[in-house]
Amino acid sequence: MIDAWLELPTFALFALLILFYGIAAALIVWLCARSPLRPRILTLSGVVAPFFTATSVLFALLTGFLASDVGDRNRQAWRAVNTESSAASALYTLSVASASDMQDIRAALRDYLQSVVKDEWPRLGEQGASAKTDETYARLLREVSDPAIATAAGNPVHNALLNSVLRLGEARAARVSLASDRTNDLKWLSVLILGVITQISLAAVHLERPRAQLTAIVLFSSAAIVALGLIALQEQPFDGAIRISPQPIETALKAMAN
């Protein structure tokens, strides 16, 4: 359910967040001011303001940790894409600079990059790695691992080629891993629930002043919606409303076509 919400367009993502906290706020205010349970709820009067501070601090801390995790994942994803692009460029440059003919390596590299952009990238958020891209990378690795290259171009060149293709594979593995990472789902659920608990805390502090209660809940809910919505837009680096583009890899591919 959290995944489905995070994959929504910006407008729908914020709309559901507003609906969630709006319904929670309306239900809390109705229970405290209009429901048959109001007399019993008023017996809880006397809860002091510092009680609200305890729940709001927990909400703020967990939201901060969540935002930090999301930001770090996006930085890692961007770094992985750029590392993959630079490794591909290095592999291509080495193959061109070598005295021996490495046309097969360049062809395998182009097939790999085309597969990444056209086949793997569109499905990163849902299915992760592409079987076709796995095959093109395996072919590229076989071409670079050919012992004949060391004989024709020398061991230093062969080692440099191997290092580049291995770095390419490691960067791709990191990219796929980050795209399929869903470890923050439980944190999101905790933050959303803590937001509702904070709304209840505000209501408990203002039980005898309905207008002040409504104002406090609306202000907190508005701030929570803005903060959580902006964080949610960046949660999925390859499949969210704000996503990382394959431009670095496309640029490397275009350079090889020239």
Side-chain angles (χ1 to χ4, degrees):
M1 185 173 63
I2 296 293
D3 285 344
W5 170 60
L6 292 170
E7 292 172 1
L8 292 174
T10 302
F11 176 80
L13 187 148
F14 272 96
L16 279 182
L17 200 56
I18 291 169
L19 186 64
F20 175 73
Y21 280 116
I23 291 175
L27 181 60
I28 292 168
V29 171
W30 177 78
L31 284 172
C32 294
R34 302 288 183 179
S35 77
L37 296 176
R38 174 174 167 76
R40 288 192 175 185
I41 293 175
L42 285 177
T43 61
L44 301 175
S45 297
V47 177
V48 294
F51 171 71
F52 160 72
T53 304
T55 55
S56 64
V57 167
L58 286 174
F59 174 79
L61 285 173
L62 195 53
T63 301
F65 292 146
L66 180 62
S68 177
D69 287 347
V70 170
D72 184 59
R73 184 187 295 115
N74 276 270
R75 284 189 294 272
Q76 290 182 45
W78 183 246
R79 192 179 303 120
V81 172
N82 280 274
T83 299
E84 191 173 7
S85 171
S86 64
S89 298
L91 182 58
Y92 177 78
T93 302
L94 285 167
S95 70
V96 171
S98 173
S100 60
D101 183 18
M102 297 189 181
Q103 189 64 38
D104 291 342
I105 291 178
R106 291 193 288 275
L109 179 59
R110 278 192 292 268
D111 289 345
Y112 167 78
L113 294 180
Q114 287 173 353
S115 177
V116 168
V117 173
K118 295 179 181 178
D119 188 65
E120 185 167 72
W121 206 277
R123 66 179 68 190
L124 266 179
E126 298 177 0
Q127 303 174 23
S130 161
K132 182 179 178 181
T133 308
D134 284 339
E135 292 174 4
T136 56
Y137 178 74
R139 177 193 161 200
L140 175 61
L141 188 57
R142 284 195 302 270
E143 292 290 346
V144 175
S145 301
D146 187 353
I149 297 175
T151 304
N155 285 324
V157 173
H158 192 204
N159 289 336
L161 290 168
L162 282 172
N163 288 336
S164 294
V165 77
L166 291 175
R167 191 158 62 97
L168 183 73
E170 290 172 358
R172 178 190 174 229
R175 169 171 56 78
V176 171
S177 174
L178 290 166
S180 57
D181 183 12
R182 295 294 182 269
T183 55
N184 270 352
D185 286 1
L186 187 58
K187 289 183 182 179
W188 271 109
L189 187 60
S190 301
V191 166
L192 293 171
I193 293 174
L194 267 176
V196 175
I197 293 174
T198 305
Q199 288 178 318
I200 296 172
S201 301
L202 282 168
V205 172
H206 299 91
L207 283 177
E208 297 176 344
R209 293 171 291 174
R211 294 186 66 182
Q213 180 187 76
L214 177 61
T215 301
I217 292 176
V218 168
L219 288 174
F220 166 76
S221 301
S222 300
I225 289 166
V226 171
L228 296 180
L230 292 176
I231 296 171
L233 291 179
Q234 306 171 64
E235 167 63 27
Q236 298 181 358
F238 299 102
D239 197 39
I242 300 176
R243 64 185 69 184
I244 295 173
S245 77
Q247 184 179 358
I249 296 176
E250 290 174 344
T251 301
L253 184 59
K254 288 178 182 177
M256 294 173 196
N258 296 333

